[in-house]
Amino acid sequence: GAGVSQSPSNKVTEKGKDVELRCDPISGHTALYWYRQRLGQGLEFLIYFQGNSAPDKSGLPSDRFSAERTGESVSTLTIQRTQQEDSAVYLCASSQRGSGAKNIQYFGAGTRLSVL
Amino acid sequence: QKEVEQNSGPLSVPEGAIASLNCTYSDRGSQSFFWYRQYSGKSPELIMSIYSNGDKEDGRFTAQLNKASQYVSLLIRDSQPSDSATYLCAVGDNFNKFYFGSGTKLNVKP
């Protein structure tokens, strides 16, 4: 596609429910990132996928959070047993890994998650 | 822990003035440096990227990188009210991983 696509754009859920967020990266981009942004805060790194390499999960805040990516396409971020502190905007970004460090991330519009 | 520091602001400048935004980073091995603009309720959009020491100009925007001092700055000339947003500094490492500052809120007063 022309840009990074995320769905749903908004998600309201009840505490304790599981949610699944989807990200469709720019075609040809091998790297995909998930970030969390709480209201008025900066971006908090969650997880990074690069091609077929093992993902960097170092930013996942707890074992309730997991993410998958099939090849170099769609990724899903799953939050189990949601808590109110999970309320945030979840941003996905993709980049095309080139030579050296000339990689630029392009962001999707985000999913605004509200846990009641 | 690789850190990226920004003054949270708000930075207020009058219309037509130069806005100067600064960012420092902790990892000397950092390879790539970016400035993103984020309007309230929107996702970040790339303004500038810079990879080597010195200045890089693009229209009203100039990015400046000093690796020895570990800082990167963004100058916005002839600031417009439409430039009012939060500006995020991002730093990339050798492993294609990026670290973001918490952002500086810029307010351009008409």
Side-chain angles (χ1 to χ4, degrees), chain A residues 21-85:
Chain A
L21 313 180
R22 176 188 168 106
C23 174
D24 199 344
I26 293 172
S27 178
H29 281 194
T30 59
L32 186 148
Y33 305 79
W34 283 99
Y35 296 92
R36 178 169 69 180
Q37 188 174 34
R38 291 194 167 110
L39 188 64
Q41 304 294 312
L43 272 66
E44 178 186 0
F45 167 78
L46 296 177
I47 189 168
Y48 158 47
F49 295 91
Q50 172 60 57
N52 293 319
S53 302
D56 180 342
K57 304 180 181 180
S58 59
L60 294 179
S62 77
D63 59 8
R64 296 187 296 106
F65 287 72
S66 62
E68 292 183 349
R69 187 184 187 194
T70 305
E72 296 181 353
S73 61
V74 171
S75 174
T76 55
L77 175 69
T78 301
I79 309 173
Q80 295 179 308
R81 305 182 302 281
T82 52
Q83 304 295 312
Q84 288 182 333
E85 63 261 28

Side-chain angles (χ1 to χ4, degrees), chain A residues 101-114:
Chain A
K102 296 185 187 299
N103 289 299
I104 295 172
Q105 292 184 94
Y106 296 90
F107 284 85
T111 293
R112 183 175 300 277
L113 175 65
S114 299

Side-chain angles (χ1 to χ4, degrees), chain B residues 12-87:
Chain B
S12 292
V13 300
E15 183 175 355
I18 296 175
S20 177
L21 306 166
N22 299 309
C23 170
T24 59
Y25 58 94
S26 64
D27 180 19
R28 284 195 171 275
S30 298
Q31 297 286 318
S32 52
F33 307 86
F34 307 90
W35 284 99
Y36 285 85
R37 178 176 63 197
Q38 187 175 28
Y39 292 113
S40 181
K42 302 294 186 182
S43 59
E45 59 176 321
L46 182 71
I47 298 296
M48 292 285 288
S49 60
I50 187 166
Y51 305 97
S52 55
N53 280 328
D55 295 1
K56 179 182 177 182
E57 185 174 321
D58 184 1
R60 296 186 296 111
F61 299 95
T62 299
Q64 299 175 317
L65 175 61
N66 184 324
K67 288 188 177 181
S69 300
Q70 295 173 245
Y71 85 78
V72 57
S73 62
L74 179 70
L75 299 178
I76 306 174
R77 290 181 299 281
D78 188 24
S79 295
Q80 302 296 308
S82 59
D83 295 327
S84 298
T86 295
Y87 288 79

